[in-house]
Amino acid sequence: MSDFGQRLKNARKLRNLTQKELAEILAIAQSTIASYENNSRFPGESLLVKLSETLNVRIDYLLGTTEYASLYQATKKNDTVVDLSMAEYDTLNHRLIDWIITGKEKEATDRIFDLYQNGLSTLTLIEKVYLPILKLTGDLWQVGKVTVAEEHLISNLVDRWLSMTSTSQGIQSKPYSAVFMLPSNEEHVLILKIIREYFRHENWKTYFIGNSIPISSLHQFIDELDIQMVVISVSIGAHLNNTKELIQTLRTLRKDKPIKILVGGRAIRDERYALDELDADFFIREASQLRNAILSMEKQL
Ligand code: B12
């Protein structure tokens, strides 16, 4: 990503523009854009300024003197240095779904990789791309525009993107560790992997173990790794009973130093009685609330 042509191409793609569309905005030939992108020509000063304004990207990014395609000035540490408007994300997300179901997985994956390479953080990708895509898929499925097979295709690819862009477990982690589990029969696994990212972001040690682990081995695991919290996600209302049983079992483990239990998920949000029925320590409805909630839960451990 170090040459001008590649950077220009990258900034153009971030704006979802084709070479032709960009050329039309600048009133120049498409072949001129193509020649810039393959480094056979270089724009003059005034065109460089126009490119920077049109693509909303800093000139020093295009020239390679800064690493990131900073569309808006980053202000805070951990702030994203690439940002698109809500409408641009919406267009992007529709396009990504379209690409996936028309067999253009590579295009879709390349676009995600571009965003990530250019500074979009894992949590921003989750909140602006992955979660909206999953929600959109559900909506499209309900009106018959996406089949169950396509729904699988989309969630599998989002799962792959999540691994590709996941926050790496820091060497200097905090002294907190959590296990991530689902009640039996609950197949909405991906959302829990997404939830785990919020904890990784806060430098927790995290262990994803899914939904079919024998309780004896769970016991051993929790003891050996000195787990403080179990995080559970439940999507389907009919799985609340299994969730209740899972929590009851967890409560029988390690009586001297009880494990804290956090439950979230669509079923908690939709079924009001869930909060009375489940013996959890924390209920959190939305993933985005975790950014602050984790810090306040840490104080209670
Ligand atoms: C992908 C998907 C699947 C995939 C799952 C793949 C995977 N590896 O996860 C597969 C194909 C396996 C599947 C199966 C089924 N699914 Co499905 N699925 C979806 C879809 C499209 C996305 C799910 C998802 O990841 N959502 C994540 C986000 C976007 O939404 P969310 O679950 O509401 O989570 C939010 C909060 O609740 C919170 N949260 C969630 N968990 C937790 C946990 C913690 C600790 C915290 C703090 C927060 C938190 O974070 C999110 C953002 O704030 C949804 C549609 C949708 N709108 O969600 C349907 C959906 C969940 N599925 C549904 C159904 C009915 C099913 C099936 C019964 C039938 C089917 N469609 O094939 C089976 C059931 C399987 C089972 N036994 O569990 C319904 C559920 C309706 C209901 N209220 O009961 C939905 C809503 C589709 C619909 N519109 O009808 N599904």
Side-chain angles (χ1 to χ4, degrees), residues 47-164:
L47 197 55
L48 191 60
V49 173
K50 273 196 197 162
L51 278 168
S52 146
E53 285 169 0
T54 309
L55 298 170
N56 209 356
V57 63
R58 290 195 340 225
I59 290 183
D60 55 358
Y61 167 74
L62 288 174
L63 295 178
T65 50
T66 179
E67 267 306 297
Y68 302 112
S70 180
L71 304 185
Y72 304 112
Q73 205 73 27
T75 46
K76 280 191 298 191
K77 193 168 171 273
N78 282 340
D79 219 4
T80 169
V81 288
V82 176
D83 206 358
L84 306 179
S85 67
M86 293 275 281
E88 284 170 320
Y89 275 116
D90 197 46
T91 309
L92 173 69
N93 294 338
H94 277 90
R95 194 170 291 193
L96 288 168
I97 291 185
D98 208 48
W99 274 334
I100 301 170
I101 61 184
T102 54
K104 295 181 184 145
E105 266 188 34
K106 188 179 177 315
E107 278 89 337
T109 302
D110 283 352
R111 180 59 54 88
I112 295 293
F113 205 59
D114 274 349
L115 290 167
Y116 186 63
Q117 287 277 297
N118 285 286
L120 218 64
S121 72
T122 312
L123 296 191
T124 305
L125 273 169
I126 285 174
E127 287 169 8
K128 301 280 178 59
V129 182
Y130 304 161
L131 287 176
I133 283 187
L134 291 169
K135 281 204 183 93
L136 202 56
T137 304
D139 296 347
L140 293 171
W141 174 76
Q142 263 187 326
V143 295
K145 287 194 178 158
V146 159
T147 65
V148 174
E150 288 166 342
E151 182 186 325
H152 276 257
L153 204 64
I154 295 166
S155 55
N156 281 331
L157 194 58
V158 173
D159 199 342
R160 198 135 57 78
W161 292 342
L162 184 72
S163 318
M164 190 175 97

Side-chain angles (χ1 to χ4, degrees), residues 151-152 185 187-190 233 265-266 269 285-287:
E151 182 186 325
H152 276 257
N185 299 332
E187 285 175 29
H188 297 92
V189 176
L190 177 54
S233 174
R266 173 178 283 269
R269 213 177 43 199
R285 290 205 170 81
E286 298 297 336

Side-chain angles (χ1 to χ4, degrees), residues 174-179 204-205 207 218-229 254 256-259 301:
K174 287 183 186 164
Y176 306 118
S177 40
V179 157
W204 281 49
K205 286 201 195 74
Y207 304 93
L218 178 65
H219 195 164
Q220 195 185 0
F221 186 80
I222 285 180
D223 272 349
E224 278 170 12
L225 296 167
D226 196 20
I227 302 294
Q228 288 114 328
M229 189 180 281
R254 230 183 42 192
D256 53 322
K257 200 175 155 201
I259 307 155
L301 294 177

Side-chain angles (χ1 to χ4, degrees), residues 165-209:
T165 57
S166 164
T167 313
S168 54
Q169 187 107 38
I171 303 166
Q172 286 214 316
S173 45
K174 287 183 186 164
Y176 306 118
S177 40
V179 157
F180 293 77
M181 296 188 71
L182 299 127
S184 37
N185 299 332
E186 180 59 71
E187 285 175 29
H188 297 92
V189 176
L190 177 54
I191 181 61
L192 190 60
K193 292 186 185 168
I194 289 177
I195 296 298
R196 175 171 70 152
E197 288 302 319
Y198 286 82
F199 288 83
R200 289 175 83 119
H201 181 76
E202 285 306 327
N203 292 317
W204 281 49
K205 286 201 195 74
T206 64
Y207 304 93
F208 187 90
I209 56 174

